[in-house]
Amino acid sequence: MSRAERRPSMAERRNSFLSSPMQSVGTPLVVPHLAGIEDPLPDTTPEKVDVLIAGTGMVESVLAAALSWQGSNVLHIDKNDYYGDTSATLTVDQLKQWVNDINSNSSKCYENAKLYISKTLSQRNKYQSRDFGIDLSPKILFANSDLLSILIKSRVHQYLEFQSLSNFHTFENDSFEKLTNSKQEIFTDQSLSLMTKRNLMKFIKFVLKWEEQPEIWKPYTDRPIIDLLLEKFKLEREQIFELIFSIGLCYNLESKTVGALQRIRRYLTSFDVYGPFPVLYSKYGGPGELSQGFCRSAAVGGATYKLNLQLVSYNPTTKEATFNDGSKVKVEEKVIMSPTQTASDSKNVPDQPYEVHRLTCIAEKSCSQWFAEGESAAIVVFPPNSLKSNNRQVVQAFILGSGTETCPAGTSIWYLSTTETGSRAELDLDAALEALEVSLIRETSTEFENENGILEFGPNGESIINSVKLGKSFKEYIPRDKIQFLLKLYYTQYTSTPVFDVVKDEFFNRKHDANQELLIPGASDNGVIFSSMPSAEISYDEVVTSAKVLYEKIVGSDDDFFDVDFEEDEVPTGSRTAPVEYENTFEEDDDEDIEMSNSNVEEAVGEMEI
Amino acid sequence: MNSNVTSVKLVLLGEAAVGKSSIVLRFVSNDFSENKEPTIGAAFLTQRVNIDDHTVKFEIWDTAGQERFASLAPMYYRNAQAALVVYDVSKPQSFIKARHWVKELQERASSDIIIALAGNKVDIVEDGGERKVATEEGQKLADEEGLLFFETSAKTGQNVNEVFLAIGEKIPIKKPNEHANNANADGSNDNNRVDITSSDNNAAAVSGCNC
């Protein structure tokens, strides 16, 4: 098949038992796998497939579902015995195994995994391994985002439960400031001067339609957004930091204007889509759950799933793929592989030059004081220079409580990450962790020492070395003061996607342009297209773009990416256009006429008219 | 939502080609009660059953073939309140596999899951075919493990509705306001669920508990 040619749609390819999905009104149609009695599924791997995908991470799973519904015959494998790969949600036991694997194999993907498990957890009296669901790359879902639309369109959302997250905290001057993130709060916030309120509202009005006003931002295109906020909008440092780091979730003060404006708008247009919060997350685990959902969707669409299977080699001439169990399959079109899934003779894995440093902790504290009422999660952002370590890059923390069903009552999971590089990164993460701890135990705290890390304290205050790598024995460590950590995990993840960016089409073309594939003698992965590792991005925003780029490589166009039209019943009621109360409000004119619903707020508006 | 409707997630398990899907198709598409036809891409099939004065709405999850290579996701078992384990009375191997699935459910699903065992394809026996798994064998396994037991035929419909009715009768009826008492130790509660298909710009989209 030529590259430009569009593949036949699913309806065209499978009209033996499927007619057009549009025909569903009143016509009994059969779900493919419910046709089991007529066409029993074989217990052997198929001999021939259109596409082989190795790795069940987020991007690969979305791709598998998109391809399956488009009509491609997909074999989707994973070398692990669980779903999710780079996006997995793991139990404690699985996490131990994962750390072991990272440390015993050199890979371009992960490095320096250090796992500490407390005696309380390892003894298994109070907690079981499967009480916890620990994400390798935790993510939040903006209410107004491409992935959310795909979740609805594909119906994968029916496999999932979503919860709201409204609390975004900014760490400033050794304390947490809850984000002033709604216009009501902006008006009622007593600490904001009238001028600041006015300037802030002006900026919010601008950012919602910033592209239409190039005269304002064009001169700042190549400059950091902070210049625009200072010079054009006369905002103060505190508001600027909230806008750039908490609302925009940018990584440093150098963040460029255009990218930052997009990110600030992302938050604002997501606010109030489903309620007074900008983001959601999935219960029972993040991308690990979503991956499972998309894999199930792909399976319903006809994909074959086989965990515990590794691609050992692929021959681009014969198109034969060989697996570690000795089986083989002929791949008619493309082999897509996550960099984590490679066999030993891989020589084509793209460089992964960007670092993401992560620190994941399970605390024996509910941390509910950080969550909004009825919620179980919060985001805490540590802007540059807010930490003892004089951090240059932001540290982002995503805190999940037991209401997310990823940890038992009375515990919480803290996911910290930074884009800082090298040894500074761990210092920043430790400093952020300490700041979180101090905040939690401020009332009872007496003294604080953290020079050598918290891993060196015995039951009676004597210091003991507990920093054992996995594979050796786990010794008890007793953290100081009130907060007991059940688990701590440090690791460095590498990616080919820089922050603030999404994967570029060219990335996949390096060795594949114009069919002039460069074959490396002896390599097991010639002709394989590698997917990208997750970036530092805390939202799911890169996923759909990455999956679409790969889809286009295989199908020839992304026109019918999830072009599925399931039957009329249970079709989502609301359309997914940018909704936002903000916009409605600002349709009105300027500051004077802002409509407010509750009386407190009206008072504040009155104040503004003075 | 009608407080008389209890939603039940039911998962199907059994060796390939024992007729799991056929049983469900028979149950769902038979005019058993008023219901729509199964449709392409359905995340799961649904069927309502009226039992006394309340309705049980089954959300039936097919394995979608993911069981073939031991690749069922944890998501499949999560919050499943009922399971239907199917074997073929003419295939002893499928009965051995059924034992395996019962064990798997006891390990991976919640401890109070209701499991029904169905020996399918009894029509083959009635047509003079050879039965390889005796009714007593099935009944014995069911007694040992505390399972509901039926011999069914998806082809003729024999006992198909009865299986689901029997499961429905064992499902605890959801009392109105039950969720209100469900708040866990951290003060968050089960109702903090966001329906992402209703973006009506309304805080009511979060079915938060207002009591």
Side-chain angles (χ1 to χ4, degrees):
Chain A
M1 175 188 290
S2 93
R3 184 165 293 241
E5 194 181 318
R6 193 178 161 281
R7 292 173 60 84
S9 73
M10 176 152 181
E12 288 156 348
R13 289 159 62 102
R14 294 205 180 157
N15 54 14
S16 57
F17 63 91
L18 290 181
S19 40
S20 161
M22 298 303 288
Q23 218 185 346
S24 64
V25 184
T27 316
L29 290 172
V30 178
V31 176
H33 282 289
L34 290 175
I37 200 164
E38 298 85 23
D39 183 20
L41 294 159
D43 267 351
T44 53
T45 316
E47 285 170 14
K48 205 170 73 172
V49 296
D50 294 332
V51 182
L52 168 64
I53 304 176
T56 53
M58 250 329 269
V59 171
E60 297 81 17
S61 302
V62 171
L63 177 68
L67 287 169
S68 298
W69 288 110
Q70 177 268 345
S72 292
N73 186 3
V74 176
L75 173 60
H76 198 176
I77 64 168
D78 199 300
K79 67 171 186 175
N80 300 308
D81 61 2
Y82 51 81
Y83 284 91
D85 188 36
T86 53
S87 316
T89 305
L90 302 177
T91 65
V92 174
D93 287 340
Q94 286 171 329
L95 193 66
K96 284 185 195 172
Q97 185 59 48
W98 181 83
V99 169
N100 238 345
D101 291 347
I102 296 309
N103 290 336
S104 53
N105 304 309
S106 64
S107 96
K108 284 185 176 178
C109 306
Y110 296 101
E111 219 176 52
N112 290 330
K114 290 180 284 182
L115 177 66
Y116 309 100
I117 294 182
S118 75
K119 207 168 180 178
T120 315
L121 184 56
S122 61
Q123 280 176 339
R124 300 293 161 87
N125 296 327
K126 197 169 175 188
Y127 305 108
Q128 302 303 314
S129 162
R130 75 170 196 175
D131 292 343
F132 300 91
I134 301 144
D135 276 315
L136 292 182
S137 54
K139 302 277 184 197
I140 53 176
L141 179 67
F142 276 95
N144 183 25
S145 62
D146 52 4
L147 182 66
L148 195 135
S149 311
I150 299 261
L151 280 165
I152 294 172
K153 207 171 175 190
S154 65
R155 303 190 150 207
V156 168
H157 75 92
Q158 294 188 336
Y159 303 135
L160 302 160
E161 280 183 49
F162 290 97
Q163 296 181 325
S164 59
L165 192 168
S166 41
N167 273 11
F168 281 61
H169 304 276
T170 316
F171 185 75
E172 277 279 25
N173 305 321
D174 268 348
S175 71
F176 294 111
E177 300 295 337
K178 189 178 166 293
L179 187 60
T180 313
N181 62 5
S182 70
K183 61 183 187 305
Q184 286 92 342
E185 284 174 3
I186 292 170
F187 284 120
T188 50
D189 190 336
Q190 298 298 319
S191 67
L192 295 180
S193 73
L194 188 56
M195 188 55 85
T196 305
K197 286 179 189 176
R198 196 178 287 268
N199 290 340
L200 205 47
M201 294 310 277
K202 242 182 207 150
F203 173 73
I204 290 174
K205 187 188 172 192
F206 157 76
V207 77
L208 288 167
K209 292 181 176 169
W210 64 272
E211 284 131 319
E212 297 165 18
Q213 302 160 73
E215 70 281 2
I216 297 179
W217 58 268
K218 264 279 158 63
Y220 295 89
T221 310
D222 295 320
R223 295 169 60 186
I225 183 146
I226 189 166
D227 293 350
L228 175 78
L229 298 177
L230 280 171
E231 294 169 18
K232 280 277 177 188
F233 292 93
K234 311 274 186 268
L235 290 171
E236 286 161 38
R237 182 194 143 95
E238 193 184 335
Q239 283 73 49
I240 288 174
F241 270 39
E242 284 193 348
L243 284 168
I244 299 180
F245 300 116
S246 296
I247 289 182
L249 295 168
C250 297
Y251 302 94
N252 52 47
L253 284 165
E254 289 76 50
S255 300
K256 293 280 191 297
T257 298
V258 169
L261 287 175
Q262 279 169 345
R263 291 169 73 98
I264 293 168
R265 182 173 58 189
R266 170 180 72 177
Y267 182 108
L268 296 174
T269 58
S270 289
F271 200 82
D272 263 349
V273 172
Y274 297 111
F277 52 85
V279 302
L280 306 143
Y281 59 87
S282 52
K283 213 170 157 181
Y284 308 110
E289 282 297 295
L290 269 67
S291 303
Q292 287 178 40
F294 279 103
C295 287
R296 177 172 162 82
S297 175
V300 172
T304 301
Y305 275 85
K306 210 167 177 181
L307 298 180
N308 257 324
L309 192 68
Q310 186 169 25
L311 177 63
V312 178
S313 69
Y314 174 63
N315 182 331
T317 313
T318 63
K319 299 203 154 219
E320 190 176 68
T322 307
F323 303 104
N324 60 341
D325 65 353
S327 63
K328 293 175 192 299
V329 70
K330 191 173 181 212
V331 183
E332 302 274 312
E333 293 182 25
K334 299 283 186 210
V335 178
I336 310 289
M337 187 187 244
S338 157
T340 51
Q341 296 277 327
T342 53
S344 49
D345 294 326
S346 287
K347 292 177 182 165
N348 293 291
V349 184
D351 288 336
Q352 310 284 335
Y354 305 101
E355 297 173 25
V356 190
H357 291 259
R358 298 187 186 276
L359 167 57
T360 299
C361 305
I362 300 176
E364 217 172 12
K365 276 265 184 198
S366 72
C367 295
S368 51
Q369 60 267 54
W370 289 338
F371 309 147
E373 202 183 331
E375 294 189 340
S376 300
I379 297 282
V380 182
V381 173
F382 300 89
N385 274 313
S386 63
L387 293 167
K388 277 184 184 170
S389 58
N390 294 321
N391 58 314
R392 300 177 299 194
Q393 303 284 323
V394 161
V395 175
Q396 295 174 339
F398 181 21
I399 315 285
L400 293 172
S402 65
T404 66
E405 302 279 345
T406 55
C407 56
T411 68
S412 55
I413 308 186
W414 306 2
Y415 295 104
L416 288 77
S417 64
T418 178
T419 53
E420 182 56 84
T421 54
S423 55
R424 282 194 70 145
E426 197 168 313
L427 296 177
D428 288 351
L429 291 172
D430 281 335
L433 178 65
E434 187 192 335
L436 288 168
E437 285 180 83
V438 171
S439 153
L440 258 189
I441 61 182
R442 182 161 285 144
E443 305 100 59
T444 50
S445 173
T446 46
E447 49 159 342
F448 248 125
E449 298 291 322
N450 198 29
E451 279 79 30
N452 297 315
I454 64 151
L455 307 166
E456 305 181 357
F457 288 84
N460 303 311
E462 83 278 24
S463 91
I464 48 167
I465 307 296
N466 291 300
S467 47
V468 280
K469 277 202 172 185
L470 222 103
K472 298 172 192 169
S473 63
F474 294 109
K475 291 182 193 165
E476 178 184 24
Y477 84 83
I478 307 289
R480 68 211 133 110
D481 229 48
K482 301 283 187 206
I483 300 173
Q484 303 281 330
F485 283 100
L486 298 172
L487 177 151
K488 281 191 170 201
L489 169 67
Y490 294 84
Y491 56 106
T492 308
Q493 187 221 305
Y494 294 88
T495 175
S496 52
T497 314
V499 295
F500 236 66
D501 210 343
V502 287
V503 67
K504 295 246 184 343
D505 187 54
E506 302 88 80
F507 170 75
F508 302 103
N509 278 337
R510 294 178 323 131
K511 294 210 169 71
H512 303 276
D513 42 336
N515 294 323
Q516 292 290 315
E517 296 179 356
L518 300 171
L519 303 186
I520 300 177
S524 60
D525 57 354
N526 285 323
V528 168
I529 301 176
F530 282 94
S531 55
S532 49
M533 294 284 292
S535 76
E537 175 60 41
I538 198 172
S539 83
Y540 285 101
D541 282 9
E542 67 191 335
V543 170
V544 173
T545 311
S546 302
K548 265 191 182 170
V549 168
L550 291 166
Y551 183 90
E552 196 178 338
K553 286 261 158 292
I554 298 161
V555 178
S557 131
D558 67 6
D559 290 349
D560 52 2
F561 185 81
F562 278 108
D563 188 18
V564 282
D565 196 359
F566 298 130
E567 93 282 21
E568 72 295 337
D569 187 33
E570 293 182 296
V571 156
T573 48
S575 65
R576 309 260 345 96
T577 50
V580 250
E581 224 169 302
Y582 286 112
E583 276 190 352
N584 303 337
T585 306
F586 293 114
E587 296 294 328
E588 303 301 317
D589 210 293
D590 245 53
D591 310 356
E592 287 93 28
D593 267 80
I594 292 165
E595 290 172 26
M596 289 293 160
S597 47
N598 87 39
S599 55
N600 276 342
V601 174
E602 274 162 17
E603 205 175 311
V605 177
E607 195 184 324
M608 290 200 65
E609 286 173 333
I610 296 168
Chain B
M1 192 170 96
N2 185 342
S3 61
N4 284 335
V5 179
T6 308
S7 282
V8 173
K9 175 177 172 180
L10 180 145
V11 295
L12 281 174
L13 291 163
E15 197 177 58
V18 295
K20 301 187 282 295
S21 309
S22 306
I23 288 179
V24 175
L25 270 188
R26 167 64 71 177
F27 171 59
V28 172
S29 54
N30 231 9
D31 213 12
F32 187 58
S33 72
E34 189 188 340
N35 196 51
K36 60 185 182 295
E37 302 291 347
T39 40
I40 293 176
F44 35 75
L45 300 176
T46 56
Q47 176 66 292
R48 287 163 190 267
V49 176
N50 294 317
I51 296 168
D52 301 330
D53 61 342
H54 67 279
T55 303
V56 172
K57 181 186 169 201
F58 284 106
E59 293 177 353
I60 304 164
W61 290 46
D62 190 78
T63 55
Q66 286 179 302
E67 85 284 16
R68 281 182 293 155
F69 305 107
S71 301
L72 274 176
M75 170 182 281
Y76 191 68
Y77 296 97
R78 176 165 304 129
N79 293 333
Q81 291 157 275
L84 179 57
V85 177
V86 185
Y87 65 93
D88 177 343
V89 296
S90 67
K91 294 207 180 81
Q93 182 61 36
S94 73
F95 184 65
I96 293 169
K97 204 67 201 273
R99 286 183 183 276
H100 158 82
W101 286 119
V102 171
K103 189 165 160 277
E104 188 88 352
L105 280 163
Q106 287 163 346
E107 280 171 16
R108 298 182 65 173
S110 76
S111 54
D112 52 359
I113 189 168
I114 295 157
I115 306 174
L117 179 69
N120 194 32
K121 301 197 187 176
V122 287
D123 53 282
I124 294 180
V125 180
E126 279 148 22
D127 289 352
E130 199 182 346
R131 173 192 277 274
K132 299 272 181 62
V133 183
T135 306
E136 295 70 32
E137 283 187 82
Q139 188 65 58
K140 184 161 172 278
L141 174 61
D143 292 344
E144 283 167 7
E145 305 293 342
L147 321 174
L148 295 164
F149 176 64
F150 289 89
E151 288 198 331
T152 59
S153 166
K155 195 173 176 185
T156 66
Q158 180 187 335
N159 267 347
V160 170
N161 293 345
E162 285 75 4
V163 174
F164 290 93
L165 270 175
I167 293 169
E169 280 165 2
K170 288 192 77 174
I171 297 290
I173 303 164
K174 192 168 68 186
K175 302 277 189 301
N177 297 325
E178 186 183 321
H179 279 300
N181 304 321
N182 248 358
N184 71 23
D186 296 344
S188 56
N189 74 46
D190 223 25
N191 274 357
N192 179 29
R193 182 175 183 165
V194 181
D195 176 6
I196 65 167
T197 61
S198 65
S199 60
D200 53 7
N201 237 359
N202 187 338
V206 193
S207 53
C209 177
N210 293 323
C211 34

